[in-house]
Amino acid sequence: GSVSVFSAAISSNVKRIVHCSSMARYGEIKPPFKETDEPKPVDPYGIAKLASEKILINLCEVHDVEYNIAIPHNIIGPNQKYDDPFRNVMSIMLNRNLQGKPSMIYGDGTQTRCFSYVGDCVNCLERMGTDESINQEIINIGPDEEHITINQLAELCSNETGFNGKPIYFPQGRPQEVKHATCSSDKARLLLNYKTTTSLKQSVKKTADWIRRKGVKPFKYHLPLEIVNDKTPKTWKDKLI
């Protein structure tokens, strides 16, 4: 998909391509992840993201097209799909809590993450697309001040929704999941004037308010599982979410 978009853009004589990668590209290395670190992705998604970056760089160098690569932390906020049982952990928790159902957590919940409010990322993407002084850069974008465990995230969602039940834990974690994934945004602050204007607590509230306005939804298992074995989470196989 990425290669098709890159090829179409280049054949249309665009001046610059801004590509959104993922911090999954970094994989199992020591956090906080920095742009100078050697990526070691451990799951197909991260491997594909890193591969797409390399293809973009290759194509842009051959065709003399400018590029920048953004690496957002986990993006959250209104308009995010919240009835997908496989993605968007915060929206899944909020959608369940607002239905009076507990959050579901893989492993012990001590995994650490950073979450980016979508509004704080947009300005960075615009700057990466328009600032002529920023070219051929790979830049992490997102708050690096609020590292949070999944347990703490579940508590924030519970407090916002008024749901008092305890999370349900599944001892078996998700396969190939990185335990601690946080990034440094020093480069974004230097080049893009990045700053966090929406705290995680505010982000949770804004997302919950969005779901309240749209109405809670049942989760749609719209995609078939590619691999079903003893490593597949029970929540996916048995459609428990």
Side-chain angles (χ1 to χ4, degrees), residues 71-73 115-116 121 140-145 183 185 188-189 194 196:
I71 306 173
H73 303 9
F115 292 89
S116 312
C121 296
N140 297 333
I141 57 174
D144 53 6
E145 314 96 335
C183 292
S185 292
R189 279 187 281 269
Y194 169 79
T196 303

Side-chain angles (χ1 to χ4, degrees), residues 167-201:
I168 298 173
Y169 288 85
F170 292 85
Q172 179 188 19
R174 297 195 305 174
Q176 306 302 101
E177 182 177 48
V178 174
K179 181 79 170 180
H180 302 292
T182 60
C183 292
S184 165
S185 292
D186 288 344
K187 187 174 181 180
R189 279 187 281 269
L190 178 65
L191 296 182
L192 305 175
N193 196 29
Y194 169 79
K195 53 188 172 184
T196 303
T197 63
T198 304
S199 69
L200 181 56
K201 186 176 181 179

Side-chain angles (χ1 to χ4, degrees), residues 88-180:
N88 306 331
V89 58
M90 189 189 77
S91 291
I92 290 175
M93 288 179 173
L94 289 173
N95 190 26
R96 281 186 59 85
N97 289 173
L98 287 169
Q99 296 178 60
K101 299 176 182 178
S103 297
M104 291 181 165
I105 295 177
Y106 302 102
D108 60 8
T110 59
Q111 306 95 313
T112 53
R113 296 291 186 270
C114 288
F115 292 89
S116 312
Y117 183 68
V118 62
D120 288 343
C121 296
V122 170
N123 291 337
C124 291
L125 295 174
E126 289 179 348
R127 185 88 177 267
M128 292 176 78
T130 59
D131 191 323
E132 294 186 0
S133 68
I134 301 170
N135 182 30
Q136 298 185 356
E137 297 286 358
I138 298 175
I139 308 175
N140 297 333
I141 57 174
D144 53 6
E145 314 96 335
E146 289 190 274
H147 300 173
I148 189 171
T149 67
I150 298 301
N151 285 329
Q152 291 170 325
L153 178 65
E155 184 177 0
L156 278 176
C157 292
S158 177
N159 289 341
E160 169 59 33
T161 59
F163 178 77
N164 295 319
K166 294 183 179 180
I168 298 173
Y169 288 85
F170 292 85
Q172 179 188 19
R174 297 195 305 174
Q176 306 302 101
E177 182 177 48
V178 174
K179 181 79 170 180
H180 302 292

Side-chain angles (χ1 to χ4, degrees), residues 212-232:
R212 289 185 183 105
R213 289 195 300 270
K214 297 293 290 185
V216 297
K217 296 180 180 179
F219 290 92
K220 296 179 181 178
Y221 286 81
H222 59 294
L223 298 173
L225 294 177
E226 296 174 352
I227 300 174
V228 180
N229 58 27
D230 58 357
K231 295 181 181 179
T232 308

